[in-house]
Amino acid sequence: MIVYTKLWILLDKKGMKKTDLKQVITSATLAKLGKNETVSVETIGKICDFLQCQPADIMENVSKEQLEKVGEEI
């Protein structure tokens, strides 16, 4: 499962808010990212261009087991 936790961390490091992404993506797409839903490669490209980063800087692939383990720790 692709998760966008790295995106939110990167935004925080840059002193930005999630809503700053609305300069390059729609509110609906931002909501999808918040729910770790599928978005297009074009969207990933727009975000990376905007933040001047690489895809691996904003997303990662985790297994369901890893996700459940994190949920238990929280």
Side-chain angles (χ1 to χ4, degrees):
M1 173 179 196
I2 299 295
V3 295
Y4 301 100
T5 307
K6 288 183 168 185
L7 173 58
W8 315 131
I9 293 169
L10 181 61
L11 286 173
D12 187 53
K13 285 182 182 178
K14 290 181 175 264
M16 301 173 79
K17 297 179 180 181
K18 291 179 181 182
T19 55
D20 291 328
L21 291 174
K22 292 194 327 188
Q23 294 178 50
V24 293
I25 62 173
T26 66
S27 295
T29 301
L30 183 57
K32 283 184 172 187
L33 290 168
K35 297 175 188 173
N36 291 319
E37 293 180 357
T38 303
V39 297
S40 71
V41 174
E42 181 181 355
T43 297
I44 298 300
K46 287 178 182 180
I47 294 169
C48 288
D49 289 345
F50 180 67
L51 297 175
Q52 298 178 339
C53 67
Q54 293 296 312
D57 297 330
I58 64 169
M59 60 190 227
E60 64 184 327
N61 187 34
V62 298
S63 69
K64 288 186 179 186
E65 291 81 21
Q66 289 171 309
L67 213 58
E68 289 170 2
K69 184 177 178 182
V70 170
E72 291 171 3
E73 291 174 3
I74 294 173

